[in-house]
Amino acid sequence: MSDDPASEGESGPTHPTAASQSPTGAAILNIPKVSIQGSSSESEDTPPTPTASGESGPAETAEGEAHPNATNQNDDDSIGEFDDGRSGKLTLGILLQEGIIEAGEGVMAIEYLGQTFKGDLMPVGKIRSQETGLVFNNPSAWAIYCKKIVNPAKKSGCGWASVKYKGRKMDHFKSQWTKLKAQRDAEEAERLASQEAQLAEDLRRGRQQLEKDLGAGLAPIIRHAQLSEKQPSDDLDIYVETDPFTDKARVQPFNMSVSASALLIIELHAQCHPVASTCGYLAGQWDINAHNLAITHAFPCLGMSDMAEPDRSAKIEFDIYNAIYRKHLVLVGWYKSCPSNLPKPLPTLRDVEAQLAHQVRLLGANDATYSPCIGMIFKPLGLNLSAAKSDCLAYWVVPPLETNPYDYGKPMMMAYTCIVDPCLSQDALDQIDRILEQRQDLIHQDPSLGLESRGLLESLGDSIKRKAPLDQQGLLWPYIYLYFPSVFRLNPFKMEVPTLKLTDNILCQRVNTFLSGFILDDQRSDQVRQIFESELDAGMKDGLEGSSLQMENTYVPDLINGTEEGQFLSLDLGGTNFRVILLELKAGKIVREEVRYYQVPEEKRLGQGEDLFDFLGICIYDFTDKLGLSQSCQSLALGFTFSFPMTQTAMNQGVLVSWTKSFNCPGVVGKDVVDLLNHSLAKVKPDSQKNLSIEVIAILNDTTGTLVKGAYDRPNTCIGLILGTGCNGAYFERSENVIRWHGGKYDCKNVIIDPEFGAFGDNGCLDFIKTKFDEAIDSASLLPQSFTYEKYFAGKYIGELARIVMVDMNKERLLFPCQDVEGLLIQDGFPSTMLTEVVEDNLNQSVERTITVLKKFSANCSPDDALIVQHICLVLSERAALLVGIPMAVFLRRMKTQEGLIAVTGSLYKCHPNLKARMEFFTRKYYPEWKGESFLSDDGSGKGAGLIAAIAKRLEL
Ligand code: BGC
């Protein structure tokens, strides 16, 4: 295969029979191998922090009071020979292994109230009493045994402090070991840090080299006017500027359109092979009357990277030619990619020459056989995010004047319209598969080819998704994404937080250790998933009686079906804003929508329940008054989104289980909220509205509203997730599985369940992931010991978690080391909006905005401080994504849907730069078959209430 289509006189895409006829010169650059070993997750390798028992020796536990049978493995510090020391717990076995003490007869002693007891130290780290011959697992057990002989009332043995080895207290040997361990830990930390720094440096160098190599061939860019007549010595690799036809008020020779799926294939092809030029053919239709060239298909030349195999290249081109022919298409051009670090896509002089030759060749003998030929150049995304965006140029070459046949043709930019196809054809999907398969092969041969950053992939996903038909956007990218495992190659499915890099390696290590409690390894995440599943089953059966998941039946059995008509009132209460909405539906479509917001003051959120509901009533009448509704209608059906846990016995009945978030009004828990609202509506009704009757026909949770509103937006929706101040998600359950159903079961296949998963773990089943910071958040919250799961990550808490971590780090002098930062001490002083801003700054590889945020707390914020705070926010965000992803995966799997979509409402989801992507990643981790996505369904909680009221009216429930 020639690497120069222009230089081959007879070459061109029209006649794909010889190896030399490839459309482009896809040069394979020499890519340096980049080191890819090592983990980016430092937490895994973090040496464990010594536990309290490790620091102070085994606690004096009751284990000595039991029969001191040495083989009882349940004893607190009896792990003896089974302990490898990594738990941080010191045992005699470890001291023996370390050579600090030696086994021997009579080397152990206890002196107590004038009596001396002697013991042998056994090679397995146990003590044999010389007096009784009994064997003890540890000093504590032996000490309490001996002391009780002298003083039966003695409860504890002070093992390590009272037992002596060769005349010296065991404490002495313990501190020897502690020092040794600390020294070793420090050495290990240093080794790991330097290993990581080295790996990071290798990676950076590798990338730099890669970029350099890609840019190495970057010849200068010149304007056409600078070119003189052709000379054999001309450098054909220089790039030539292209101008639009409009510049010189010239008219484009023909109109042009390109299908979005052809662009998608060109882009994916180039991006999947970022280090070499990619090429392919363009096919479509030429409409001679309309003078329009429609490019409908792109045919990538896949597998042409092996220059040594010309026959193979010829075969590939031949197959493409046949495919074009079979589809009754016309060959209309070719495409190739250019280096990502060119400022914009440009053809080389060689491309210009080749293009002109192709144009001439496609001219045909007469109008009937003529078709124009287009060249397209695609510039992929750079390997690092700072590189400019991808871009695609279409160009056509104006031939030189007949009087100057030795001049170069002038490449001109062609304007084109992009046409989004109604659906992705099977052809296009097959091409996508083939591109992705080739990518897998390439990475298999050279793993360094898969060095995309997550940020790059997200930009690629956005760009590709925009080129897919609307109803397939959600499916396409997740599907393609599965082929990019390289991003997670270092740490396949673990929580993944970019490695913290600080100038001070030891500080870096200490920060990582400090935050390690937030990192859930695979085993613990899987445990969370399993417990979630079993709590779900228990909740389905017994609700809160048997589980921390309430799994409440909402009695909503259906979605909007397109027949709903009329005006409906919606209420949305859950945060500090109360919303009243009027929705008007025609044939199931929202045709009018009016909204008003009312601030709910703190005294109403924490005051008597009756006052709160009177306040809601007053707002509702204010709304109906402002809209003149009492004049225009006599009765209004109302749907009430009440975003708190309720037990329901019907769609229009909901008893409050407990307040959450920032509400705590006495007198409401245990009461039917619909009754309370009806009562207030009657009580505060102004005379001016006496003709208007408002009937509350549905009460719902915000997740239920979001699910119904999401399905209104996109029919495949099967989960409504709230990821805002609080968190919870509703899904469809098969009605035969719903046991708790008051009144007769409706005849319906499914019903929406509100699991109230914010309360997951309230029964202690998740305590194994609780850090001391989570405990602190809970005890400082309005309602301690409730809504445990939500407090790990929801918008009301995540910023606060970051703040208390910062306060503690400041105390430990890990953060802002030279000062006590008092500004940080204000509760809720670091809201989730700050956290999302900091994460965004990190993803943009900057610290500027972080420093500006932190300046509010401390005047002296170093770049290292900013990096540490970014790291805290990333770790907490990653944990949030994991903990939300788990329930999503469990629900999707339960519904057995691969295409199901998740509609989301909530500021945390909306504002966080990558929570969506990471949550989807973890969802897919636990349900790999899932091809759907999550999407923002704005105001699901508000509009959903109106939609559900309309459904209730239609079904007459
Ligand atoms: C409430 C849920 C609600 C969620 C999201 C939680 O505190 O208990 O009912 O769905 O917040 O608003």
Side-chain angles (χ1 to χ4, degrees):
M1 173 174 133
S2 159
D3 64 353
D4 174 10
S7 63
E8 304 289 334
E10 72 292 275
S11 78
T14 52
H15 193 260
T17 50
S20 59
Q21 288 163 348
S22 89
T24 71
I28 307 300
L29 300 172
N30 265 336
I31 307 304
K33 293 267 190 298
V34 177
S35 166
I36 54 155
Q37 300 122 30
S39 161
S40 66
S41 163
E42 54 290 328
S43 59
E44 271 298 284
D45 295 327
T46 304
T49 333
T51 59
S53 54
E55 292 294 342
S56 56
E60 298 206 346
T61 57
E63 98 273 9
E65 289 171 303
H67 190 280
N69 186 322
T71 54
N72 180 3
Q73 292 301 327
N74 291 328
D75 286 350
D76 180 45
D77 56 356
S78 64
I79 36 182
E81 65 212 278
F82 300 101
D83 189 334
D84 59 1
R86 290 176 66 198
S87 65
K89 203 171 248 190
L90 179 59
T91 62
L92 291 173
I94 294 174
L95 292 182
L96 283 166
Q97 261 170 34
E98 298 278 9
I100 296 174
I101 54 178
E102 280 170 9
E105 283 185 12
V107 288
M108 309 297 289
I110 294 178
E111 284 153 16
Y112 184 58
L113 299 179
Q115 280 214 40
T116 303
F117 299 87
K118 284 266 174 203
D120 305 331
L121 179 58
M122 298 160 71
V124 291
K126 298 182 183 186
I127 303 166
R128 188 187 304 109
S129 156
Q130 288 203 338
E131 291 78 25
T132 64
L134 281 173
V135 175
F136 296 85
N137 272 357
N138 51 60
S140 298
W142 184 44
I144 186 66
Y145 173 78
C146 298
K147 289 180 184 179
K148 276 191 157 193
I149 293 176
V150 182
N151 170 14
K154 183 75 181 152
K155 288 265 185 310
S156 63
C158 300
W160 290 72
S162 55
V163 174
K164 290 182 177 168
Y165 167 78
K166 293 195 177 165
R168 285 196 96 152
K169 283 206 176 146
M170 286 305 297
D171 271 351
H172 165 79
F173 303 100
K174 193 175 83 181
S175 78
Q176 232 178 302
W177 174 76
T178 310
K179 274 188 211 139
L180 191 75
K181 184 168 182 300
Q183 190 187 342
R184 246 193 249 142
D185 286 351
E187 279 166 16
E188 178 64 3
E190 213 170 316
R191 192 189 63 75
L192 281 174
S194 89
Q195 193 185 20
E196 273 205 12
Q198 185 57 46
L199 283 171
E201 181 56 20
D202 286 353
L203 199 64
R204 196 186 59 76
R205 279 221 203 98
R207 272 175 192 281
Q208 237 174 25
Q209 187 60 39
L210 204 55
E211 293 280 3
K212 226 167 102 199
D213 286 358
L214 280 170
L218 273 194
I221 301 171
I222 58 154
R223 299 202 57 81
H224 179 261
Q226 292 171 267
L227 291 166
S228 39
E229 279 195 349
K230 294 178 193 171
Q231 300 294 332
S233 58
D234 283 350
D235 177 1
L236 294 181
D237 290 324
I238 53 174
Y239 291 95
V240 190
E241 280 284 4
T242 52
D243 296 322
F245 279 94
T246 44
D247 262 14
K248 294 244 153 72
R250 295 165 87 165
V251 183
Q252 209 169 276
F254 48 89
N255 299 324
M256 215 186 122
S257 67
V258 187
S259 78
S261 57
L263 287 173
L264 190 157
I265 285 163
I266 297 173
E267 173 163 10
L268 192 64
H269 186 198
Q271 210 69 58
C272 282
H273 203 339
V275 290
S277 176
T278 50
C279 62
Y281 290 95
L282 301 170
Q285 310 286 353
W286 165 239
D287 181 341
I288 190 160
N289 298 319
H291 227 61
N292 186 60
L293 178 69
I295 299 178
T296 53
H297 289 66
F299 291 88
C301 294
L302 296 171
M304 286 176 72
S305 53
D306 194 346
M307 315 275 277
E309 279 191 72
D311 288 351
R312 184 166 155 67
S313 307
K315 161 96 175 58
I316 289 166
E317 293 190 329
F318 184 73
D319 290 346
I320 291 177
Y321 181 79
N322 276 339
I324 292 176
Y325 182 76
R326 271 200 311 276
K327 289 183 204 315
H328 307 291
L329 296 168
V330 182
L331 180 74
V332 293
W334 56 289
Y335 72 83
K336 66 176 278 194
S337 60
C338 66
S340 62
N341 47 356
L342 261 187
K344 56 186 172 184
L346 287 174
T348 60
L349 200 48
R350 193 186 301 282
D351 296 332
V352 173
E353 284 286 89
Q355 170 63 19
L356 189 55
H358 299 332
Q359 284 176 208
V360 171
R361 203 166 296 119
L362 288 194
L363 270 179
N366 51 42
D367 271 3
T369 51
Y370 166 79
S371 124
C373 172
I374 276 295
M376 288 187 101
I377 307 277
F378 183 82
K379 183 180 98 64
L381 283 162
L383 279 172
N384 65 46
L385 263 185
S386 54
K389 293 208 304 270
S390 58
D391 200 358
C392 192
L393 164 86
Y395 71 105
W396 188 80
V397 176
V398 178
L401 294 173
E402 277 180 16
T403 46
N404 300 336
Y406 296 110
D407 279 358
Y408 285 102
K410 180 169 167 46
M412 299 293 289
M413 191 187 289
M414 293 286 290
Y416 60 89
T417 31
C418 170
I419 301 200
V420 178
D421 316 64
C423 69
L424 271 185
S425 65
Q426 191 53 48
D427 277 348
L429 291 170
D430 289 349
Q431 301 278 26
I432 291 172
D433 273 344
R434 291 173 53 231
I435 293 173
L436 295 173
E437 274 158 23
Q438 172 179 288
R439 173 191 155 80
Q440 296 292 82
D441 292 348
L442 288 171
I443 292 182
H444 188 68
Q445 287 160 23
D446 181 356
S448 70
L449 292 179
L451 283 178
E452 304 86 358
S453 66
R454 195 193 302 158
L456 181 137
L457 279 188
E458 274 155 19
S459 311
L460 172 62
D462 273 354
S463 169
I464 281 182
K465 265 183 3 192
R466 277 198 301 274
K467 298 187 175 80
L470 252 189
D471 60 343
Q472 282 168 312
Q473 288 187 343
L475 304 180
L476 182 67
W477 175 238
Y479 172 68
I480 294 176
Y481 197 63
L482 286 180
Y483 282 83
F484 287 83
S486 52
V487 182
F488 307 105
R489 167 176 26 87
L490 297 179
N491 206 351
F493 271 132
K494 289 211 182 84
M495 280 180 58
E496 200 210 71
V497 180
T499 312
L500 175 65
K501 287 180 206 130
L502 302 175
T503 33
D504 177 346
N505 282 340
I506 299 291
L507 172 64
C508 188
Q509 195 62 36
R510 287 183 60 206
V511 170
N512 285 329
T513 308
F514 198 89
L515 295 175
S516 59
F518 290 115
I519 307 281
L520 299 179
D521 58 18
D522 245 5
Q523 195 196 348
R524 284 197 300 165
S525 336
D526 200 46
Q527 228 172 315
V528 174
R529 180 192 56 79
Q530 283 174 24
I531 298 174
F532 189 84
E533 279 179 346
S534 63
E535 287 281 289
L536 188 155
D537 288 334
M540 283 301 288
K541 225 168 112 240
D542 299 320
L544 285 179
E545 300 281 294
S547 165
S548 59
L549 294 183
Q550 196 180 322
M551 306 307 294
E552 196 57 25
N553 184 354
T554 66
Y555 295 86
V556 178
D558 204 358
L559 298 167
I560 289 288
N561 75 354
T563 60
E564 295 79 2
E565 303 271 339
Q567 290 193 333
F568 300 90
L569 274 184
S570 307
L571 308 183
D572 184 10
L573 180 75
T576 49
N577 270 319
F578 171 55
R579 269 173 322 153
V580 188
I581 304 165
L582 177 78
L583 279 193
E584 189 170 329
L585 298 180
K586 278 216 166 68
K589 286 271 163 267
I590 300 174
V591 291
R592 179 179 169 208
E593 175 186 332
E594 309 282 347
V595 190
R596 259 169 193 270
Y597 292 80
Y598 299 88
Q599 179 86 39
V600 190
E602 189 174 58
E603 72 265 17
K604 298 279 179 236
R605 282 183 279 123
L606 301 178
Q608 280 304 320
E610 194 171 338
D611 293 347
L612 172 71
F613 284 90
D614 288 353
F615 170 79
L616 302 185
I618 291 167
C619 298
I620 296 168
Y621 287 123
D622 174 73
F623 178 83
T624 52
D625 182 41
K626 295 260 162 43
L627 263 72
L629 292 175
S630 63
Q631 281 95 59
S632 60
C633 51
Q634 289 177 344
S635 73
L636 276 172
L638 182 150
F640 181 11
T641 295
F642 182 69
S643 308
F644 302 95
M646 293 175 279
T647 43
Q648 290 196 250
T649 51
M651 213 162 164
N652 62 354
Q653 200 263 358
V655 174
L656 178 65
V657 172
S658 65
W659 287 108
T660 61
K661 297 175 284 201
S662 56
F663 281 73
N664 195 10
C665 304
V668 187
V669 171
K671 301 228 172 93
D672 177 7
V673 178
V674 176
D675 277 353
L676 295 178
L677 182 62
N678 277 333
H679 180 257
S680 289
L681 278 171
K683 182 168 147 199
V684 302
K685 187 173 195 169
D687 282 349
S688 59
Q689 316 250 330
K690 61 177 182 304
N691 293 335
L692 177 69
S693 107
I694 296 175
E695 191 193 355
V696 185
I697 63 168
I699 183 149
L700 51 132
N701 184 256
D702 46 0
T703 52
T704 315
T706 300
L707 171 44
V708 172
K709 160 66 174 33
Y712 170 87
D713 295 335
R714 293 174 68 177
N716 263 351
T717 304
C718 58
I719 293 181
L721 170 70
I722 302 289
L723 199 35
T725 312
C727 181
N728 186 15
Y731 74 102
F732 267 112
E733 180 68 62
R734 284 199 307 284
S735 48
E736 76 232 33
N737 293 340
V738 182
I739 304 167
R740 291 174 300 126
W741 199 307
H742 294 261
K745 247 193 195 185
Y746 325 137
D747 178 22
C748 61
K749 255 170 79 187
N750 300 302
V751 67
I752 299 179
I753 294 291
D754 167 16
E756 284 298 331
F757 72 64
F760 178 35
D762 279 5
N763 54 5
C765 63
L766 278 191
D767 283 358
F768 65 97
I769 65 166
K770 206 177 244 174
T771 64
K772 63 174 184 176
F773 303 106
D774 298 311
E775 268 160 23
I777 287 286
D778 182 49
S779 20
S781 68
L782 191 57
L783 296 147
Q785 282 163 27
S786 81
F787 278 70
T788 309
Y789 206 54
E790 180 168 283
K791 288 175 187 163
Y792 285 130
F793 57 84
K796 181 162 174 44
Y797 310 100
I798 193 167
E800 181 64 358
L801 260 172
R803 182 190 71 82
I804 61 174
V805 170
M806 287 189 243
V807 170
D808 238 40
M809 279 198 173
N810 179 229
K811 277 194 205 137
E812 298 276 324
R813 292 298 180 244
L814 296 174
L815 184 66
F816 310 120
C818 309
Q819 49 185 322
D820 287 325
V821 183
E822 293 198 350
L824 275 176
L825 297 178
I826 298 164
Q827 193 177 4
D828 294 326
F830 189 83
S832 62
T833 43
M834 286 187 180
L835 175 134
T836 50
E837 194 174 344
V838 165
V839 173
E840 194 167 332
D841 197 27
N842 176 278
L843 294 179
N844 289 330
Q845 296 170 4
S846 140
V847 285
E848 250 170 66
R849 281 165 71 195
T850 311
I851 291 181
T852 313
V853 168
L854 293 176
K855 285 252 161 84
K856 289 176 197 144
F857 303 106
S858 152
N860 299 321
C861 173
S862 69
D864 268 6
D865 290 328
L867 286 171
I868 293 174
V869 172
Q870 287 187 346
H871 200 66
I872 299 171
C873 296
L874 287 169
V875 167
L876 293 176
S877 301
E878 185 75 352
R879 185 175 74 152
L882 169 70
L883 295 182
V884 184
I886 288 175
M888 294 302 102
V890 171
F891 297 152
L892 287 162
R893 189 184 279 282
R894 202 170 160 85
M895 288 183 278
K896 298 197 176 79
T897 167
Q898 298 192 354
E899 267 84 37
L901 303 175
I902 305 171
V904 195
T905 296
S907 49
L908 187 61
Y909 177 86
K910 190 169 170 179
C911 305
H912 197 290
N914 69 350
L915 193 54
K916 167 183 154 62
R918 299 302 296 153
M919 172 191 103
E920 288 175 3
F921 167 78
F922 285 115
T923 306
R924 209 159 278 119
K925 168 184 174 179
Y926 287 111
Y927 186 40
E929 295 83 1
W930 185 50
K931 299 197 178 80
E933 66 166 352
S934 65
F935 69 96
L936 184 71
S937 178
D938 244 347
D939 197 16
S941 48
K943 289 182 199 142
L947 296 177
I948 289 181
I951 295 170
K953 199 162 169 208
R954 164 166 64 81
L955 298 174
E956 292 180 352
L957 291 173

PDB file of all heavy atoms in Angstrom, residues 117 490 503 525 532 587 612 652 654 711 741:
ATOM      1  N   PHE A 117       4.784 -16.065  89.301  1.00  0.00           N
ATOM      2  CA  PHE A 117       4.372 -17.201  88.456  1.00  0.00           C
ATOM      3  C   PHE A 117       5.339 -17.282  87.293  1.00  0.00           C
ATOM      4  O   PHE A 117       5.765 -16.250  86.773  1.00  0.00           O
ATOM      5  CB  PHE A 117       2.948 -16.980  87.918  1.00  0.00           C
ATOM      6  CG  PHE A 117       1.913 -16.858  89.000  1.00  0.00           C
ATOM      7  CD1 PHE A 117       1.644 -15.626  89.595  1.00  0.00           C
ATOM      8  CD2 PHE A 117       1.214 -17.979  89.432  1.00  0.00           C
ATOM      9  CE1 PHE A 117       0.702 -15.515  90.596  1.00  0.00           C
ATOM     10  CE2 PHE A 117       0.258 -17.862  90.424  1.00  0.00           C
ATOM     11  CZ  PHE A 117      -0.012 -16.637  91.019  1.00  0.00           C
ATOM     12  N   LEU A 490      -6.029   0.242  35.332  1.00  0.00           N
ATOM     13  CA  LEU A 490      -5.138   0.192  36.471  1.00  0.00           C
ATOM     14  C   LEU A 490      -5.855  -0.387  37.688  1.00  0.00           C
ATOM     15  O   LEU A 490      -5.265  -0.946  38.557  1.00  0.00           O
ATOM     16  CB  LEU A 490      -4.646   1.588  36.808  1.00  0.00           C
ATOM     17  CG  LEU A 490      -3.820   2.243  35.709  1.00  0.00           C
ATOM     18  CD1 LEU A 490      -3.388   3.625  36.124  1.00  0.00           C
ATOM     19  CD2 LEU A 490      -2.607   1.391  35.378  1.00  0.00           C
ATOM     20  N   THR A 503       4.092  17.701  46.399  1.00  0.00           N
ATOM     21  CA  THR A 503       5.554  17.772  46.395  1.00  0.00           C
ATOM     22  C   THR A 503       6.122  16.946  47.544  1.00  0.00           C
ATOM     23  O   THR A 503       7.191  16.368  47.447  1.00  0.00           O
ATOM     24  CB  THR A 503       6.010  19.243  46.506  1.00  0.00           C
ATOM     25  OG1 THR A 503       5.051  19.927  47.315  1.00  0.00           O
ATOM     26  CG2 THR A 503       6.094  19.895  45.144  1.00  0.00           C
ATOM     27  N   SER A 525     -17.722  -3.156  48.786  1.00  0.00           N
ATOM     28  CA  SER A 525     -18.815  -2.638  47.934  1.00  0.00           C
ATOM     29  C   SER A 525     -19.768  -3.771  47.609  1.00  0.00           C
ATOM     30  O   SER A 525     -20.979  -3.583  47.572  1.00  0.00           O
ATOM     31  CB  SER A 525     -18.337  -2.043  46.616  1.00  0.00           C
ATOM     32  OG  SER A 525     -17.036  -1.625  46.656  1.00  0.00           O
ATOM     33  N   PHE A 532     -27.968  -4.821  50.460  1.00  0.00           N
ATOM     34  CA  PHE A 532     -29.071  -4.050  49.879  1.00  0.00           C
ATOM     35  C   PHE A 532     -30.126  -5.003  49.326  1.00  0.00           C
ATOM     36  O   PHE A 532     -31.320  -4.820  49.553  1.00  0.00           O
ATOM     37  CB  PHE A 532     -28.550  -3.113  48.782  1.00  0.00           C
ATOM     38  CG  PHE A 532     -29.592  -2.134  48.293  1.00  0.00           C
ATOM     39  CD1 PHE A 532     -29.818  -0.942  48.965  1.00  0.00           C
ATOM     40  CD2 PHE A 532     -30.371  -2.415  47.184  1.00  0.00           C
ATOM     41  CE1 PHE A 532     -30.793  -0.048  48.539  1.00  0.00           C
ATOM     42  CE2 PHE A 532     -31.351  -1.536  46.749  1.00  0.00           C
ATOM     43  CZ  PHE A 532     -31.555  -0.345  47.426  1.00  0.00           C
ATOM     44  N   ALA A 587     -54.487  15.574  25.466  1.00  0.00           N
ATOM     45  CA  ALA A 587     -54.064  14.283  24.910  1.00  0.00           C
ATOM     46  C   ALA A 587     -52.740  13.840  25.540  1.00  0.00           C
ATOM     47  O   ALA A 587     -51.804  13.439  24.857  1.00  0.00           O
ATOM     48  CB  ALA A 587     -53.933  14.383  23.391  1.00  0.00           C
ATOM     49  N   LEU A 612     -47.582  24.430  59.633  1.00  0.00           N
ATOM     50  CA  LEU A 612     -46.966  24.179  58.321  1.00  0.00           C
ATOM     51  C   LEU A 612     -48.061  23.971  57.269  1.00  0.00           C
ATOM     52  O   LEU A 612     -48.026  24.578  56.196  1.00  0.00           O
ATOM     53  CB  LEU A 612     -46.064  22.937  58.396  1.00  0.00           C
ATOM     54  CG  LEU A 612     -45.519  22.475  57.044  1.00  0.00           C
ATOM     55  CD1 LEU A 612     -44.466  23.457  56.524  1.00  0.00           C
ATOM     56  CD2 LEU A 612     -44.888  21.081  57.140  1.00  0.00           C
ATOM     57  N   ASN A 652     -54.317   8.198  47.527  1.00  0.00           N
ATOM     58  CA  ASN A 652     -54.586   9.516  48.115  1.00  0.00           C
ATOM     59  C   ASN A 652     -54.532   9.463  49.639  1.00  0.00           C
ATOM     60  O   ASN A 652     -55.264  10.153  50.333  1.00  0.00           O
ATOM     61  CB  ASN A 652     -55.948  10.044  47.638  1.00  0.00           C
ATOM     62  CG  ASN A 652     -57.074   9.132  48.074  1.00  0.00           C
ATOM     63  OD1 ASN A 652     -56.811   8.065  48.627  1.00  0.00           O
ATOM     64  ND2 ASN A 652     -58.309   9.540  47.837  1.00  0.00           N
ATOM     65  N   GLY A 654     -51.503   9.027  52.789  1.00  0.00           N
ATOM     66  CA  GLY A 654     -50.086   8.825  53.118  1.00  0.00           C
ATOM     67  C   GLY A 654     -49.793   9.251  54.547  1.00  0.00           C
ATOM     68  O   GLY A 654     -49.948  10.426  54.897  1.00  0.00           O
ATOM     69  N   ALA A 711     -40.728   9.182  32.443  1.00  0.00           N
ATOM     70  CA  ALA A 711     -41.317   8.335  31.393  1.00  0.00           C
ATOM     71  C   ALA A 711     -42.094   9.205  30.402  1.00  0.00           C
ATOM     72  O   ALA A 711     -42.238   8.833  29.236  1.00  0.00           O
ATOM     73  CB  ALA A 711     -42.220   7.295  32.028  1.00  0.00           C
ATOM     74  N   TRP A 741     -50.664  -4.738  50.243  1.00  0.00           N
ATOM     75  CA  TRP A 741     -51.576  -4.057  49.337  1.00  0.00           C
ATOM     76  C   TRP A 741     -52.942  -3.972  50.030  1.00  0.00           C
ATOM     77  O   TRP A 741     -53.647  -4.958  50.148  1.00  0.00           O
ATOM     78  CB  TRP A 741     -51.664  -4.861  48.017  1.00  0.00           C
ATOM     79  CG  TRP A 741     -52.190  -4.042  46.890  1.00  0.00           C
ATOM     80  CD1 TRP A 741     -53.351  -3.315  46.892  1.00  0.00           C
ATOM     81  CD2 TRP A 741     -51.593  -3.842  45.613  1.00  0.00           C
ATOM     82  NE1 TRP A 741     -53.490  -2.670  45.699  1.00  0.00           N
ATOM     83  CE2 TRP A 741     -52.445  -2.981  44.883  1.00  0.00           C
ATOM     84  CE3 TRP A 741     -50.428  -4.310  44.999  1.00  0.00           C
ATOM     85  CZ2 TRP A 741     -52.163  -2.570  43.586  1.00  0.00           C
ATOM     86  CZ3 TRP A 741     -50.165  -3.916  43.705  1.00  0.00           C
ATOM     87  CH2 TRP A 741     -51.016  -3.055  43.011  1.00  0.00           C
TER      88      TRP A 741
END
